[in-house]
Every structure is written in structure tokens, then in C-alpha cells.
Amino acid sequence: MSVLVNKNSNIIVQGFTGKEGSFHAEQMIEYGTNVVGGVTPGKGGQVHLGKPVFNTVQEAVDKAKANTSIIFVPPAFAGDAIMEAAAAGVQVIICITEGIPVQDMVKVREYLKDKQVTLVGPNCPGVITPDEAKVGIMPGFVFKKGRIGVVSKSGTLTYEAADQIVKAGLGISTAIGIGGDPIVGTPTKEAVELLMNDPETDGIVMIGEIGGNYEALASEYVKSTGNKKPVVGFIAGQTAPKGRTMGHAGAIIGGKDDTAEAKMAIMASCGIHVVSSPAEIGSTMAKVLNK
Amino acid sequence: MNLHEYQGKQLLSKYGVAIQRGVVVENASEIDAALKQLREETNTEFAVVKAQIHAGGRGKGGGVKVGKNDAEIKEYAENILGMMLKTPQTPGGLDGEGKLVSKVLIAEDSYAPDFDACKEYYVSIMLDREKKRNVIIYSTEGGMNIEEVAEQTPHLVHKEHIHPHIGLQGFQARKIAFNLGLSGQAFKEMTKFINKLYAAFLGSDASLFEINPTIKTADDRIVAVDCKVSLDENALYRHKDLAEMRDTSEEDPTEVEAQSYGLNYVQLDGNVGCMVNGAGLAMATMDIIKLSGGSPANFLDVGGTADAARVEQAFRIIMRDKGVKAILINIFGGIVRCDRVAQGVVDAYKNIGNIDIPIIVRLQGTNADIAKKLIDESGLEVHSAIQLGEAAGLVENLIK
């Protein structure tokens, strides 16, 4: 058992032969991820990085039994790529692309509604189940195998958290980068829920940022499970000014519920172990688990 | 990206939304001609002079004035043009230094001929992040601060969510017009207004339309008197005409410059500058500066390729802020190798020359140990750390 991706996932790369797609596909294959091919319209029939290239996702599903896709398609075409994967019956779609127009994502989310598919991202570092599958752009070596799940809106902050968890003598079951856009496929609550129900995960690190209500919804969910597993939480942007977009399109304080302070208060009231310093994520998890 | 009121109105007008008409003036010598043109086009008697800056509450700072005759209109236009306008939303608020007004809009009196017969409404369109749909928010309480209306009289604020594939339906536009208490011709006009407004919102990939007030005139027309428009920057590639409306003079010049180097920078007013890869880690680094007793001077995401050229540009931008007493560089190397970033820091440091404030470099991840050695042996006044906690401690010691 693991969450979203594992050694049996049949993974294809959309935007396989592009610069980003090639670079990261190579890293994924080197990590040992089961990449079964890629899709670049018009380049079907070629072989790239030793794997078959298909013209359509449907072809990849039919011929290579693809069930998981990672997307490196440029922003103008990424919404289309997500829908193509969903239409072809891919079950897990991980979209790395940053900068997709938000109205495109509004349409895509609606399109996915009645389909049996999980979208992670866009604008995310991907998902990694250590020693099994790296479906993303994260540095694999940081994520040592263990029993702590990580859910985060941010890329480098996910690596930071994983590194601290490993240095605290623990390890990672699955880390899910949900993405920093205003609309993402798997919000914090849904990602936390996957880990809460994963028998190979003993504790969860939940990293959020200013803007939106994902962390509040996730906190209420954690409470509703009777705090079945310990959750350590951090919110980036305690010092962020109001009304400014802080790098991620979704990281902006509009109303008072968007602030780090408000989110941390809700998280604490739901029994989450909130750390105010990002340097204490790993040590706090170790402490909480040893109680 | 924000538009000025007059630009927003140009956009609305393109979609057939009725707007308060006006003429933009950039310097005093153009006022007479603008007023003449306005009178010819609109038959207006009075005129409203409105400062064009990217901030709300302009009326509170004296940036919106109604002139009853040529002399008055001219006087207001001359006074507002070039003033430092302070509003609750300009930096520092009403006690701050304000924002320079370099354009004014001289607009018709949309309330004529019968001010008392006009009624003001509030209409806005935005994305509801929670429901993942666009929402039209509207109220009979026009001309007011909608946040206060929502707090004090929540039953007067209505919301209508729009289906992403089916779009705004006739019954929804009618519901809005009914809820605003309209009937007869005004009712019909409002449904048309809402339809056109929504088409403009989608057609421009906007992230916010706020039309406050929207008015019903004595002769039952519906008119957008003010408008606030923000556009989705990620969609500007398909709206070249709108992208050209960007007024960089409204933005912090350092932020504009940083953007041209591919750096994501937000100016703050603290004493510790920072340079980080990744937006989340950058915010977390600002937080750790605060927890260590300092205060962040900026947000700066150098992105995925923190090479020497970029590090140098980032250094120069941060150091331009004289309030900066120390700089914390926090890079988590993944795909980008720490030793390359370290070399970038050393090269940039040498290129710039006399850096007289302490630099703390925390490099973690790929080749972190090689990077630390490189920095430690460079002979530069640079403090290195590997753990985030260590870096925090260094910040604390150095700014004491």
C-alpha cells in the first residue's frame, strides 16, 4: 500500500520530448520509476529515452497500459492535456505546469467532476513514494523511506520538510505536492485524507500558505477523524503583507481568514501540532510520535 | 495586473456595457479640449474629475470632485493632476505619503438630470476559490464598502454562481435583476448589463470586476459609474491589447526591474533581506527572520535556476534598500546544485566589491557540503549554514 503512486504505476509523460519533460523524465527513470512511455502529438512511433512515444494519451493507455500521467506541457496547452488524459481513462494525473490561466482550470475541474480520476496540481512538484516511484521534479535522494506522509502547497518547502523528517530519524511514506494555484485538483483535505487512510503512514505533515481555505477544511477533517494520526502543521507567510501575491498565484491575503495567524489558530483548535518556525517541522513530528 | 478606471471602462465598453463616459487628461494644457470634447459627446452640464491611480477610496483623499461649471471643473482637474493622493489604500494610508496622480478622468455626470431618481447598486464578478466557479456578487447597497455591508447586513449581499460549461443563464440574470428590486425597462436593462458584463469578464480573463456603483438612471438605463478591474497575469499571453495597458509607474520600480530579470520580488520594510528558491520556502524564510528577532526586507524567489548572473542581480536589488542590515540566502538544492549556487554567490560577491553587511548563506540539498566548503574557503565575509535552525541563529546573532 501507498498513496497515489507506487512501483506498479504505469506512468507516461505528457510533453515527453520537450526540454522540461525530457530532463525530468530522465531523472524519474534514473530513480527507478516505472515510466512506460510518453506522449508528444506528431512524434508517435519514435523512441525517446528508451521509451515509446505516442501521439495520444489514448494510444498510451491502449498500448502501454498507462494509468498515471505526469504533465510538462506549456501553460497554454496544459488544461487540454489534463482533459485528454482524463478522457483516455488515466486514473492519476499529476500536472507540474506553472502559469495555467485560472479560467482554464475552472473548466478543467468541472470536466473532471464525473470521472474516476485524481488530479494533483497544477503548479506542483509532484508526488513521491520513496523507493517506489518519483512522479515529479523533487530531488529523490532527500526523501528516505519511512512512515510520515507530507502534504504541501510548496515545492522547496516540501524538500525542506522531508529533509528535517529524515534528519529526525524518521522517513517518508508518500509526499504530495498539491500545488500553489488558486484552483488545484487535490486540495489539502483530500490529500490529508489519503494519508490518514494509508496503513503505511503513521503521522502527517501538512504545510500550507496564506490564501484560501484549504487548511481550514483539512483541519476540520482531521478533527472529525478523532485525530486518528498526529498531524504537524506549518503555514508559510506569517509576515506576508495584505493584498500582495507572494510568488504562488494562490498565495494572497484578501480577507481575514486568509492570514497565517487565522489558519494556525484553526489548525491548533482542531488538535494539529502547529509550529511557528519552519525549522521545527521534523523535530516536532519526532517528539509527537514518541509521546 | 490591475487596470485604471478609464482602461477598465474601455474594456467594458468594447463588450457593450454602458459606462459613464469620460476623457483622460495627462497634463493641464489638455483640460480645456477634453472638457469641450466631453460636452459635445455627452451634453453633460456638471463633470466629475477622478484621479486615476491603482487604489480605492479616492474620494476620501480628495481625488474625486464634482465641478458644476467650466471654471470649477478646470480648477479641480488642475489641482488633482500631479497631487500626492492619500487614500486608505495607498501606502501608509491617509497618513502616508500618498501616490502621484499622473492622469485624471474628466467624466460626465451620469446622475443627471435627476440625481434623486437614481439608484446605486453593487455588482462584482470574481472566482470563488472554494466552489471553483465564477460568482456574481451583487447588492442594493451600492456605493458603499461591500465588506462592511456584508458584515453588518449580510442578507443584502447576494451571490450567483455560474456553471463553467453552461455559462450565465437567462434565469440567473433575471434573478439578479429581481433581487435588486427592478421592474419594467430597468429590469430588462439590468439583465442585459449583467450578460454583457459577464461576457467581458470571461473575454478578458479577468480575476476581478467590481462595478461600484452601478446605477439606474431616471430614464431607466443601467450604467457602470466606477470600475475596478484585475486581470489574470497567466492569461495575458492571449490578450496582447490588455497586456499593453499595464502601467508600470503604478508599481514599485524595483519590483518591475526584478521582474525583468526573472526574479519574483516584493518590497517590504524590514532590516533583513532574503534570497530564496521557491515561493513557499521564501515565505517561510521571511517568517524565520521574524522569529529570530529581525524583520524581512523583501520577498524574493530566484526561481529554479539560481545561477551567478541571477544571484548578482538579486544581490544588487536587495542592497539598494538602505534599511537592510543583513542578507540571508536560503537555497534548497534539488535539481539546482548547491555548489553552483555557492559559486554564484562567491562570484557575485567579488563582482560587486565592497559589500559591508553580513551575508548568511544556507545551502541544503544536492552537494550542500561541497557548497559549504566553497563558501568557507572563499575568504569572504560570508557565514554559512546547512540547517535552517543554524541559519536562524546566525540571523539572530548578527542583527543584535
Side-chain angles (χ1 to χ4, degrees), chain B residues 239-265:
Chain B
H239 304 286
K240 298 275 187 284
D241 52 332
L242 298 173
E244 280 169 15
M245 288 184 173
R246 181 168 174 198
D247 181 356
T248 49
S249 73
E250 282 287 330
E251 298 167 36
D252 184 301
T254 314
E255 291 177 15
V256 175
E257 189 191 337
Q259 220 169 43
S260 71
Y261 302 129
L263 304 166
N264 202 329
Y265 176 88

Side-chain angles (χ1 to χ4, degrees), chain A residues 157-177:
Chain A
L157 198 48
T158 309
Y159 319 157
E160 174 69 46
D163 185 60
Q164 288 182 27
I165 289 164
V166 169
K167 294 220 161 78
L170 303 163
I172 311 298
S173 53
T174 298
I176 308 168

Side-chain angles (χ1 to χ4, degrees), chain B residues 58 73 208 235 268 305 309:
Chain B
R58 290 168 299 169
I73 297 162
L208 172 71
L268 302 167
T305 50

Side-chain angles (χ1 to χ4, degrees), chain A residues 4-15:
Chain A
L4 293 169
V5 299
N6 59 40
K7 58 181 184 300
N8 299 318
S9 302
N10 291 333
I11 297 153
I12 51 160
V13 180
Q14 285 176 262

